[in-house]
Amino acid sequence: MIIDAHAHLVAPDSLYAFRALLLADGGYHGGTPKISDDALAEAAAGNVTTMDAVGTDLQLLSPRPFHLGSSMRPARMLDPWVRANNDTIARTVALHPTRFAGVGALPLAADEPVSAGFAELDRLVDLGFVGVLVNPDLHEGRGTTPALGDRYWYPLFERLVERDLPIHVHSAGCYSERETYSEHFVTEESIAVLAMLRSAVFTDFPSLRVMISHGGGSVPYQIGRWQADALHPGLGGGPDAERFETSLRRFWFDSVLHHPLSLELLLRTVGADRVLFGTEKPGSGSAPNPATGRDFDDIRPVIEGFDFLSAGERQAVFEDNARTVFPGLKAHQGAS
Amino acid sequence: MIIDAHAHLVAPDSLYAFRALLLADGGYHGGTPKISDDALAEAAAGNVTTMDAVGTDLQLLSPRPFHLGSSMRPARMLDPWVRANNDTIARTVALHPTRFAGVGALPLAADEPVSAGFAELDRLVDLGFVGVLVNPDLHEGRGTTPALGDRYWYPLFERLVERDLPIHVHSAGCYSERETYSEHFVTEESIAVLAMLRSAVFTDFPSLRVMISHGGGSVPYQIGRWQADALHPGLGGGPDAERFETSLRRFWFDSVLHHPLSLELLLRTVGADRVLFGTEKPGSGSAPNPATGRDFDDIRPVIEGFDFLSAGERQAVFEDNARTVFPGLKAHQGAS
Amino acid sequence: MIIDAHAHLVAPDSLYAFRALLLADGGYHGGTPKISDDALAEAAAGNVTTMDAVGTDLQLLSPRPFHLGSSMRPARMLDPWVRANNDTIARTVALHPTRFAGVGALPLAADEPVSAGFAELDRLVDLGFVGVLVNPDLHEGRGTTPALGDRYWYPLFERLVERDLPIHVHSAGCYSERETYSEHFVTEESIAVLAMLRSAVFTDFPSLRVMISHGGGSVPYQIGRWQADALHPGLGGGPDAERFETSLRRFWFDSVLHHPLSLELLLRTVGADRVLFGTEKPGSGSAPNPATGRDFDDIRPVIEGFDFLSAGERQAVFEDNARTVFPGLKAHQGAS
Amino acid sequence: MIIDAHAHLVAPDSLYAFRALLLADGGYHGGTPKISDDALAEAAAGNVTTMDAVGTDLQLLSPRPFHLGSSMRPARMLDPWVRANNDTIARTVALHPTRFAGVGALPLAADEPVSAGFAELDRLVDLGFVGVLVNPDLHEGRGTTPALGDRYWYPLFERLVERDLPIHVHSAGCYSERETYSEHFVTEESIAVLAMLRSAVFTDFPSLRVMISHGGGSVPYQIGRWQADALHPGLGGGPDAERFETSLRRFWFDSVLHHPLSLELLLRTVGADRVLFGTEKPGSGSAPNPATGRDFDDIRPVIEGFDFLSAGERQAVFEDNARTVFPGLKAHQGAS
Amino acid sequence: MIIDAHAHLVAPDSLYAFRALLLADGGYHGGTPKISDDALAEAAAGNVTTMDAVGTDLQLLSPRPFHLGSSMRPARMLDPWVRANNDTIARTVALHPTRFAGVGALPLAADEPVSAGFAELDRLVDLGFVGVLVNPDLHEGRGTTPALGDRYWYPLFERLVERDLPIHVHSAGCYSERETYSEHFVTEESIAVLAMLRSAVFTDFPSLRVMISHGGGSVPYQIGRWQADALHPGLGGGPDAERFETSLRRFWFDSVLHHPLSLELLLRTVGADRVLFGTEKPGSGSAPNPATGRDFDDIRPVIEGFDFLSAGERQAVFEDNARTVFPGLKAHQGAS
Amino acid sequence: MIIDAHAHLVAPDSLYAFRALLLADGGYHGGTPKISDDALAEAAAGNVTTMDAVGTDLQLLSPRPFHLGSSMRPARMLDPWVRANNDTIARTVALHPTRFAGVGALPLAADEPVSAGFAELDRLVDLGFVGVLVNPDLHEGRGTTPALGDRYWYPLFERLVERDLPIHVHSAGCYSERETYSEHFVTEESIAVLAMLRSAVFTDFPSLRVMISHGGGSVPYQIGRWQADALHPGLGGGPDAERFETSLRRFWFDSVLHHPLSLELLLRTVGADRVLFGTEKPGSGSAPNPATGRDFDDIRPVIEGFDFLSAGERQAVFEDNARTVFPGLKAHQGAS
């Protein structure tokens, strides 16, 4: 069974028309999006067709992150918008319960305490979601959100551990004028990994499970820098310090990388038991690769072709690791 | 001959005591650092010893970037500090002209026009420097510097082309509370590459030479993402767009990566003719690697051991590419 | 012939889905909305049906103002969004040239010079638009836009006079937390009238034509206050000052008021030759009035029932004043 | 008996010289204004003469609102200034207890909790004041004061209900550069009415009495807009929602409008039992109306001339409504 | 003849009532203060009586500085207020031309170019004023005004030299919460002296005449500190540098010090040819000194009692220095 | 015995190189300065030689104030830097316990509560320090620190009284662009004195001992101004108010003035029992005075030459007052 641990909701225009209205009226009109059952079914069916074409059995669906707008004001617009996304995912999962599982978003706003997301987090549990998408840069490139290692996030980590839900780290929009949102994804994933490792989070929450998007940003590639750093006496390190390559394996990583050399580097540095198959398809990788004739994000054949992986390692990457990180998936096992 | 294209000044405490005084007095005391010839000779000799131990013939010395403080105020402190660094490099090069060449910094301050650096740039030429270190984030993590693709930088690019000096892209301090300066290096290199490629810089300045530090940040590792992006119709791309792997080769990259897999990925994605041997030694990589017994930044043997490189490619990495990017090196050829 | 001088575009969801995308991606994706001809035709036909039901022959269509977002950042998102609106209006007018005429918006952004709108203004002329919607509060309740009497606006007034286009004053969104956008409309119309009268605009641009929305905000109702003010020696007035009731007639006003007493007060204070029939239908007034069984914004019968108006005055309100203010309407006269 | 529910203190220059000193010295000099008994008696007598000339028996005197300066800094200047105003009113009332009653101000400062006004509120009760003037825009056009429907104001409402004192809503200065303070009065009254009706204030404080100045700003004139809004399903309304015309009658309004058509509209839309005679005389309306030969603010004859009012309605407007809203007036009844 | 070079206008309350109105209405009412001839004559006569009591023949009258409000906003209020002060001084001088001469203020506002004061400066010349009061801290303790040595002030210095008018340096209000305005006077005078001496002002404007209030703030007392500083090699000084005691004599100082030891220190450090008799009487020094029975600011007898001064030096202090600094005084010589 | 109550640490460059590193890396490297015993001994010995040359027996050593950087960010850099200073002082005192005693600094940061300094204060007690240096302007010229009379400081005063430690008031850096740090010293000392006297500090903490640097800034020189102020009825004073000359004697003052006239004025106005001998040597006063051939800061002979002092008064100034203010000195009495 092939589980794609990183995919986003495919929804009709009416969801986004609601979004535009909400941003324009500042929440004055109220209400919820008007998404007809037919339109939703058509969108979901299209996505299933895409999955079939590349051999994906089950997708973990989360909201399109760059639409989340955690930095937009007034903050009261955030809650209805996040709920609308989660509700639309829930409806999509209900249409194809063996093909989709939900990873929800939370109404976390820049400069607000994370407890603002608790009510929705509890609702996600009730709706059967298997994980939570967390944007580590709530200011979306326009301010200074405490990094994920900061105690600012502790109440959320505590609640996630209580509800046994993993985090999918994925940044959202970026309005800094220096990076596109897509470029900012990579920046924020790198910061998330490094800031959490500089902090006490994994000591304080040993059972917290965290999946980093897009192969960990820059970190596996820059691993030599951080290995040296950890052992460098001038930087507070030393021979008895935990090796960075060990620390790094506190995380899981998805395989949204689109290039064989990068996938190989990731698998070799963090280990096959720490990588989850993920494609973000359909998404920004869904352009045809002239070299292969397949879309860049059609990476199942690439991984299947890696000789250095054992069959068990491949099974881990394609399915078992996902089941470890997202135990709620057992409710969706009809798909296997 | 082995040229290390990325190394920083080793200077006596008195240089940094001057720095502390300058930051404290806001420029009121005036003057220059009091660095005795003896102290300077001792520091330089120590560095030569380090070079000999790893087989480096010639180092390109630039100021320690995280000390540059382009965001600190009042801005009038920047000029004497940058001059003090460049002067100390010039004195060091004069002591060992066959072992060192200078790459200078400019007094570019956040929110000031880049023309503020022209006088010092001209002075660098007079002093025989072979390149210029440019910090792409003048706000050092506390604001929004126009990315290197922005027209803000054009007067500087124009002047550099006129004087035939290459840019060494290297960020400086980071005071955002989200990243250490070392982590910020990687972020800023990635932004530099992507922002310049989204811009018209290389069309407008076809002869501009740019070397990106630390193996290009995240970009070679994330190459699949940007390859797809360039060809994706929904993002303004298409089959006739320039391939990202082609675009990427408009830059040069140094090899400050410290890990064999990363070095291999870099060399295979950008090509051996675009990589300059660089170690940043002595620096944050100068901690012993328990797996090899050598320091992490002692990567000459690693590159020498790469079977996939031809002898000519190795020669390019170790010497020829540096001579292409930094033509001023011919004045230092006694070292060969 | 009944001309409704104040109505807004009825468009398919896909226009607003484009808007949501633009706000989310900060302009990175580029492109234009994907509005199919069928969807557009269906929306337009629905509006024609509404018009027929209340006896409107021709509507002046402008973008829905509260969606314009002149205060949103980055400002580069404004231009594609405004163009998308104007283009959709142009397509709608092209479908029913005898039933619709276009009043376009401009990409004027808070804290930017008004010349930013000139290119689009010229394009509007080319597309056959008959007027321009101007939002007098570009900060949308979050800052201090120079009032319409300020010289900030002069370059725009000059261009409008040159192109013989009238202004329809209509504010856009409001994010102040003190008012809804709908309440802010009234505030801004009042400020527009009073600030322009305190200024030299009508002396400097005697041929500028300005239509104030929603019956002039508060001004006709508060007329006594301003009449006294104009003549009060302690406020710089005096018996020789221009009477306020005279000054007020430099403007035109639309009849979007929905209540008979208010319509009567408007007509009696500013004169029937200064009022244009307008309903903003379908819009916020399209709720059934329990007292009449008709929608609140179905005010044609109310005006027809005013005994104090002569037939000529009624003709002026329903058609002739619109032709005076918007001379471009003669291109749409097939509808009569 | 004719009670003018909206009039302001007429005071000697020495009160305002104290004000200027306070603003200049930031509170350093301390002390209180030096207003001689003679000067005060002369000012009060002048005002009585004005009242006699237009037939007013009793005036409710409050401080001149635009002098209050709730946004000025340092905030410690506010308390002595407000006390000086209230004290001067108390002295004036003591001189003519049958002709004047006091409506006091509170030292409420922008960005400070409303409890800052409690000590003065209690003192007002001790001094026999019959109401409290409340400025709903403490930032005076330069910031965002929570609207009167916000819980920010609840402690004050609670205290007012406890002490059985009504609110006279009247904004103060305006330094936004977009409106004069006089224009801002109208804006703020409209916001006050609409924001309170959008909130739960009248549910939470059913016995709170609120008089809106200047005929309710724009609201009675724009009533059709808000009637439709309340019933519009797209805006959260519906046929069972409370009708806006009913909601509006939760307030009282004064008649400071100066124009017969406006007065008629007010009386017809909110009802004669909700309108208090008020003239703000002497004030900005005290300029001669060329059409009548009387001052604009001499509106007693206008109201007396309204045929559509019964004698009882007229008595309500001129006296009874004031006694309902300001029950403390029974202490001043010698004037009847 | 005794000339008091530092005294301020004594004006009726009506001047300050105008000020309060202006601050409250933001300039909306317009107009000028209503100061009756009788009230003005009474105020002026009172001041003459005070002068006679202490033996002053002629006073240089400037506006009360702490009322000037150069930091208050909107800045357009500044011009009418400064003009009102200057006009009132001019009327007072006209009443007693042999007892008073005028030193005017300029409408210089924080963050505005100094050219904003040129029109009034020219008017002062026309009105016969003999000097100009300059507040060196236009932000009045709430921001960073360029110090008097900065080129910001050069256009003003140029104009003053052209018109042959001296500067009386005197700060105005202070709203920093750390100092009263009176304490701030001392701070600002010290900054003025030291910043001008660190600059090139006296080189660039050799004929500029500057009188520092209140005995030079702290500078004469701290003279040893600055003498050492000027000669200290570590601070850019040296044996050939101009001695500070020489530099200090580029200024004139008034004698507003109220204590014999301080007066003596001033006279001995700067020299009797650089001190102008000044008392600021009536002012903050007009409290009875229990030790002498005279007011603190009655310092004529103190200076007359200084044995270390020659008769010629006393004459310089009491009259001649004033005539040197303020040559326009010759128009007022009837008083001698 | 001659005790110099105001002197600063003389330290090797390595202390300041650590400082520069800390400011550059934002605290990332961690660690402490690397100051060798030899280098420290050499620096200390040099200072002892200086002391011997001018006849000083014992110096109270505090950190060089302008290096403290209480306004620099991130604030976490403050603690290691202050500790490094205090530690270096402790090592220096340990080398020469009969020649030095320590006055420590606290890690008080702008906009942070003063309790941030308690841990270090307790450590200072443990290390045997005899006093605490307090910078009254934590914003260092870039913001508004509550003045020393404000309750903000009360927790610190309370702790100091508990530990029986006196305060040495001495400001630190100044980055306002209007003053050098040295000029700012004088400004801040004046503010400290005047603000504390306007407050209730000495009533609330009657046993708090406070020494003001540099002869009290401007205050003794301007004493007449404040004497009048205290007694002036218009400023809240009166004949029964405490005389300012009495109030002023609640403080102690050091003699860092460098000029005989200033020293005399200080001693005569505050009394010899309130002045502590202090020279700040070696420091900014260590330049040769051409008039005497001795350094400006060699003021022992000046004070010894004052005839108006009795022998007992001289003894008080040179030793006894220091022992009163700093009782911890009895642990250092081997020096006598």
Side-chain angles (χ1 to χ4, degrees), chain A:
Chain A
M1 179 175 177
I2 306 289
I3 301 177
D4 184 341
H6 181 164
H8 300 300
L9 174 66
V10 177
D13 277 354
S14 38
L15 175 64
Y16 298 103
F18 170 74
R19 175 53 167 167
L21 181 66
L22 197 54
L23 288 172
D25 71 21
Y28 163 47
H29 288 204
T32 54
K34 312 280 175 281
I35 308 175
S36 71
D37 289 341
D38 285 357
L40 190 74
E42 186 183 330
N47 201 16
V48 169
T49 302
T50 301
M51 290 159 67
D52 289 345
V54 294
T56 296
D57 295 298
L58 179 73
Q59 266 189 352
L60 272 64
L61 286 184
S62 49
R64 303 206 83 77
F66 76 96
H67 269 287
L68 283 173
S70 56
S71 67
M72 293 182 181
R73 288 288 178 273
R76 68 169 173 272
M77 299 183 314
L78 197 54
D79 198 63
W81 174 233
V82 168
R83 290 173 66 97
N85 274 276
N86 291 339
D87 285 342
T88 311
I89 289 172
R91 287 173 65 189
T92 302
V93 171
L95 287 173
H96 300 279
T98 63
R99 305 304 298 275
F100 297 120
V103 170
L106 300 179
L108 302 182
D111 301 320
E112 300 286 335
V114 293
S115 56
F118 286 1
E120 186 65 5
L121 191 155
D122 291 346
R123 204 175 71 96
L124 290 177
V125 173
D126 295 344
L127 289 169
F129 280 64
V130 302
V132 171
L133 189 88
V134 170
N135 168 17
D137 176 20
L138 299 174
H139 289 84
E140 300 186 307
R142 284 188 285 210
T144 305
T145 305
L148 280 181
D150 195 280
R151 299 188 74 86
Y152 169 79
W153 296 94
Y154 270 35
L156 178 62
F157 295 158
E158 199 171 334
R159 182 68 69 116
L160 286 163
V161 165
E162 270 171 42
R163 310 308 305 252
D164 197 25
L165 282 178
I167 296 177
H168 178 181
V169 171
H170 198 308
S171 81
C174 181
Y175 308 100
S176 81
E177 301 290 293
R178 307 188 83 228
E179 300 179 283
T180 66
Y181 70 82
S182 186
E183 294 163 9
H184 197 53
F185 290 166
V186 178
T187 298
E188 286 299 321
E189 289 144 12
S190 309
I191 292 175
V193 169
L194 296 168
M196 291 182 92
L197 291 183
R198 266 189 283 115
S199 79
V201 166
F202 289 114
T203 307
D204 294 337
F205 300 94
S207 62
L208 186 69
R209 297 188 304 281
V210 181
M211 182 178 83
I212 305 292
S213 294
H214 312 113
S218 66
V219 179
Y221 178 61
Q222 293 284 348
I223 187 168
R225 184 167 197 83
W226 311 127
Q227 287 175 309
D229 202 84
L231 304 179
H232 199 302
L235 301 170
D240 300 331
E242 187 180 90
R243 304 279 175 83
F244 185 78
E245 58 270 32
T246 304
S247 307
L248 196 56
R249 284 170 46 75
R250 297 185 189 280
F251 297 94
W252 281 267
F253 301 87
D254 69 37
S255 68
V256 181
L257 281 167
H258 311 334
H259 195 285
L261 284 172
S262 311
L263 284 164
E264 180 175 345
L265 187 146
L266 174 67
L267 286 158
R268 286 190 187 275
T269 48
V270 307
D273 57 333
R274 290 284 156 174
V275 176
L276 284 73
F277 180 71
T279 68
E280 212 171 33
K281 185 169 188 62
S284 64
S286 302
N289 183 343
T292 65
R294 297 194 314 274
D295 279 2
F296 282 95
D297 57 12
D298 181 7
I299 57 172
R300 190 178 52 85
V302 175
I303 295 173
E304 285 172 346
F306 280 152
D307 294 338
F308 64 88
L309 293 180
S310 69
E313 286 175 329
R314 242 177 253 125
Q315 170 63 16
V317 170
F318 282 125
E319 176 175 2
D320 297 353
N321 295 341
R323 294 199 179 278
T324 300
V325 177
F326 300 92
L329 282 175
K330 60 178 168 292
H332 297 263
Q333 41 187 237
S336 61

Side-chain angles (χ1 to χ4, degrees), chain B:
Chain B
M1 180 174 174
I2 307 288
I3 301 178
D4 183 342
H6 180 163
H8 300 300
L9 173 66
V10 177
D13 277 353
S14 39
L15 176 63
Y16 298 102
F18 171 75
R19 174 54 165 166
L21 181 67
L22 198 53
L23 289 172
D25 72 19
Y28 163 46
H29 289 203
T32 55
K34 311 282 174 282
I35 307 177
S36 70
D37 289 341
D38 285 357
L40 191 73
E42 185 184 330
N47 202 16
V48 168
T49 304
T50 300
M51 290 161 66
D52 289 343
V54 295
T56 296
D57 295 299
L58 181 72
Q59 266 189 351
L60 273 62
L61 287 184
S62 49
R64 302 206 84 77
F66 75 96
H67 270 287
L68 284 173
S70 56
S71 66
M72 293 183 183
R73 288 289 179 273
R76 69 169 173 272
M77 298 183 314
L78 198 53
D79 198 62
W81 174 232
V82 167
R83 290 173 67 96
N85 273 276
N86 292 338
D87 286 342
T88 310
I89 290 172
R91 288 173 66 189
T92 302
V93 171
L95 288 173
H96 302 277
T98 63
R99 306 305 297 275
F100 298 119
V103 170
L106 300 179
L108 303 181
D111 301 319
E112 301 287 334
V114 293
S115 57
F118 285 2
E120 187 65 6
L121 192 155
D122 291 346
R123 205 175 70 97
L124 290 178
V125 172
D126 296 343
L127 290 169
F129 281 64
V130 301
V132 171
L133 190 88
V134 171
N135 168 18
D137 176 20
L138 300 174
H139 289 84
E140 300 186 305
R142 285 187 284 210
T144 305
T145 305
L148 280 180
D150 195 279
R151 299 188 75 86
Y152 169 79
W153 297 95
Y154 271 34
L156 177 62
F157 296 157
E158 198 170 335
R159 181 68 67 116
L160 286 163
V161 165
E162 272 172 40
R163 311 307 304 252
D164 196 24
L165 282 178
I167 296 176
H168 178 181
V169 171
H170 198 307
S171 80
C174 181
Y175 307 101
S176 81
E177 303 290 293
R178 307 188 83 228
E179 300 179 283
T180 65
Y181 71 82
S182 186
E183 294 163 11
H184 197 55
F185 289 168
V186 178
T187 298
E188 285 300 321
E189 290 143 12
S190 309
I191 291 175
V193 171
L194 297 167
M196 289 182 92
L197 292 184
R198 266 188 281 115
S199 80
V201 167
F202 289 113
T203 307
D204 295 337
F205 301 94
S207 63
L208 185 69
R209 298 188 303 283
V210 181
M211 180 178 82
I212 305 291
S213 295
H214 311 113
S218 66
V219 179
Y221 178 60
Q222 294 284 347
I223 187 169
R225 182 167 199 84
W226 312 126
Q227 287 176 309
D229 203 84
L231 304 178
H232 198 302
L235 301 171
D240 299 331
E242 185 180 272
R243 304 278 175 88
F244 185 78
E245 57 273 30
T246 304
S247 308
L248 196 56
R249 284 169 46 76
R250 298 186 188 279
F251 297 93
W252 282 266
F253 301 88
D254 70 37
S255 69
V256 181
L257 282 167
H258 313 333
H259 195 285
L261 285 172
S262 311
L263 284 164
E264 180 176 346
L265 187 146
L266 173 67
L267 285 157
R268 285 191 187 275
T269 47
V270 308
D273 57 332
R274 289 284 157 174
V275 176
L276 284 74
F277 180 71
T279 70
E280 211 171 33
K281 185 168 187 63
S284 65
S286 300
N289 182 344
T292 65
R294 296 193 316 275
D295 279 2
F296 282 96
D297 56 13
D298 181 6
I299 58 172
R300 189 178 52 84
V302 175
I303 294 173
E304 285 171 347
F306 281 154
D307 293 339
F308 63 89
L309 293 180
S310 68
E313 286 174 327
R314 243 177 251 127
Q315 169 65 16
V317 170
F318 284 125
E319 177 175 1
D320 296 354
N321 296 340
R323 295 199 179 278
T324 302
V325 177
F326 300 91
L329 282 175
K330 62 178 167 290
H332 298 261
Q333 42 189 236
S336 61

Side-chain angles (χ1 to χ4, degrees), chain C residues 36-98:
Chain C
S36 71
D37 289 342
D38 285 358
L40 191 73
E42 185 184 330
N47 201 16
V48 169
T49 303
T50 300
M51 289 160 67
D52 288 344
V54 295
T56 296
D57 295 298
L58 180 73
Q59 266 189 352
L60 273 63
L61 285 184
S62 50
R64 303 207 83 76
F66 75 96
H67 270 287
L68 284 173
S70 55
S71 66
M72 293 183 182
R73 289 289 180 274
R76 67 169 173 271
M77 299 184 313
L78 198 53
D79 198 62
W81 173 233
V82 167
R83 290 173 66 96
N85 273 276
N86 291 339
D87 285 342
T88 310
I89 289 172
R91 287 173 66 189
T92 302
V93 170
L95 288 172
H96 301 279
T98 63

Side-chain angles (χ1 to χ4, degrees), chain D residues 78-313:
Chain D
L78 198 53
D79 198 63
W81 174 232
V82 167
R83 290 173 67 98
N85 274 275
N86 291 338
D87 285 342
T88 311
I89 290 172
R91 287 172 67 188
T92 302
V93 171
L95 288 173
H96 301 278
T98 63
R99 304 306 297 275
F100 298 119
V103 170
L106 301 179
L108 302 182
D111 301 319
E112 301 287 335
V114 293
S115 56
F118 286 1
E120 187 66 5
L121 191 155
D122 291 346
R123 204 176 71 97
L124 290 178
V125 173
D126 295 344
L127 290 169
F129 280 64
V130 303
V132 171
L133 190 88
V134 170
N135 168 16
D137 176 20
L138 299 175
H139 289 84
E140 299 187 306
R142 285 189 283 210
T144 306
T145 305
L148 280 181
D150 194 280
R151 299 187 75 86
Y152 168 78
W153 296 94
Y154 270 35
L156 177 62
F157 295 158
E158 198 171 334
R159 182 67 68 114
L160 286 163
V161 165
E162 270 172 43
R163 310 309 304 254
D164 197 26
L165 283 178
I167 296 176
H168 178 181
V169 171
H170 198 308
S171 81
C174 181
Y175 307 101
S176 80
E177 303 290 294
R178 307 188 84 229
E179 300 179 283
T180 65
Y181 71 81
S182 186
E183 293 164 11
H184 197 54
F185 290 167
V186 177
T187 298
E188 286 299 321
E189 289 143 11
S190 309
I191 291 176
V193 169
L194 296 168
M196 291 181 92
L197 291 183
R198 268 189 281 115
S199 80
V201 166
F202 289 114
T203 307
D204 295 338
F205 300 95
S207 62
L208 186 69
R209 297 187 304 280
V210 181
M211 181 177 84
I212 305 293
S213 294
H214 313 113
S218 66
V219 180
Y221 178 60
Q222 293 284 348
I223 187 167
R225 184 166 197 84
W226 312 126
Q227 286 175 310
D229 202 84
L231 303 178
H232 198 301
L235 300 170
D240 301 331
E242 187 180 271
R243 304 279 174 85
F244 185 78
E245 58 270 32
T246 304
S247 307
L248 196 55
R249 284 171 45 77
R250 297 185 189 278
F251 296 93
W252 281 266
F253 301 87
D254 69 37
S255 67
V256 181
L257 282 166
H258 311 337
H259 194 287
L261 283 171
S262 311
L263 284 165
E264 179 176 346
L265 187 146
L266 173 66
L267 285 158
R268 285 190 187 276
T269 48
V270 307
D273 56 334
R274 290 283 157 174
V275 177
L276 283 74
F277 179 71
T279 68
E280 210 170 36
K281 184 168 187 64
S284 65
S286 301
N289 184 344
T292 65
R294 296 193 316 273
D295 280 1
F296 282 96
D297 57 12
D298 183 6
I299 56 172
R300 189 177 54 85
V302 175
I303 295 173
E304 285 171 347
F306 281 154
D307 292 340
F308 64 88
L309 293 179
S310 67
E313 286 174 329

Side-chain angles (χ1 to χ4, degrees), chain C residues 86-321:
Chain C
N86 291 339
D87 285 342
T88 310
I89 289 172
R91 287 173 66 189
T92 302
V93 170
L95 288 172
H96 301 279
T98 63
R99 306 303 297 275
F100 297 119
V103 170
L106 300 180
L108 303 182
D111 302 318
E112 301 287 336
V114 295
S115 56
F118 285 1
E120 187 65 6
L121 191 154
D122 291 346
R123 205 176 70 97
L124 290 178
V125 172
D126 294 344
L127 290 169
F129 280 64
V130 302
V132 171
L133 190 86
V134 171
N135 169 17
D137 176 21
L138 299 174
H139 289 84
E140 299 186 305
R142 284 186 286 210
T144 305
T145 305
L148 280 180
D150 195 280
R151 299 189 73 86
Y152 169 79
W153 296 95
Y154 271 34
L156 177 62
F157 296 157
E158 199 171 333
R159 182 68 68 115
L160 286 163
V161 165
E162 271 171 41
R163 310 309 303 254
D164 197 25
L165 282 178
I167 297 176
H168 177 181
V169 171
H170 198 307
S171 81
C174 181
Y175 308 100
S176 81
E177 302 289 294
R178 307 187 85 230
E179 300 180 282
T180 66
Y181 71 81
S182 186
E183 294 163 11
H184 198 54
F185 290 167
V186 177
T187 298
E188 286 300 322
E189 290 142 12
S190 309
I191 292 175
V193 170
L194 296 168
M196 291 182 91
L197 292 183
R198 266 188 283 114
S199 80
V201 167
F202 288 112
T203 307
D204 295 337
F205 301 95
S207 63
L208 185 70
R209 295 187 306 281
V210 182
M211 180 178 81
I212 306 291
S213 294
H214 313 113
S218 66
V219 179
Y221 178 60
Q222 294 284 348
I223 189 169
R225 182 166 200 85
W226 312 126
Q227 288 175 309
D229 204 84
L231 304 178
H232 198 303
L235 302 171
D240 300 330
E242 185 180 271
R243 305 278 175 88
F244 185 78
E245 58 270 31
T246 304
S247 307
L248 196 56
R249 284 170 46 77
R250 297 185 189 279
F251 297 93
W252 282 265
F253 302 86
D254 70 35
S255 69
V256 180
L257 280 167
H258 311 335
H259 195 287
L261 285 172
S262 312
L263 284 164
E264 179 175 347
L265 186 147
L266 173 66
L267 286 158
R268 286 190 187 275
T269 49
V270 308
D273 57 332
R274 289 284 157 173
V275 176
L276 283 74
F277 180 71
T279 69
E280 211 172 32
K281 183 167 189 64
S284 64
S286 301
N289 183 343
T292 64
R294 297 193 314 274
D295 278 1
F296 282 96
D297 57 13
D298 182 7
I299 57 172
R300 190 179 50 86
V302 175
I303 295 173
E304 286 172 347
F306 281 152
D307 294 339
F308 65 88
L309 294 180
S310 68
E313 287 174 327
R314 242 176 253 126
Q315 170 64 16
V317 170
F318 283 126
E319 177 175 2
D320 296 353
N321 296 339

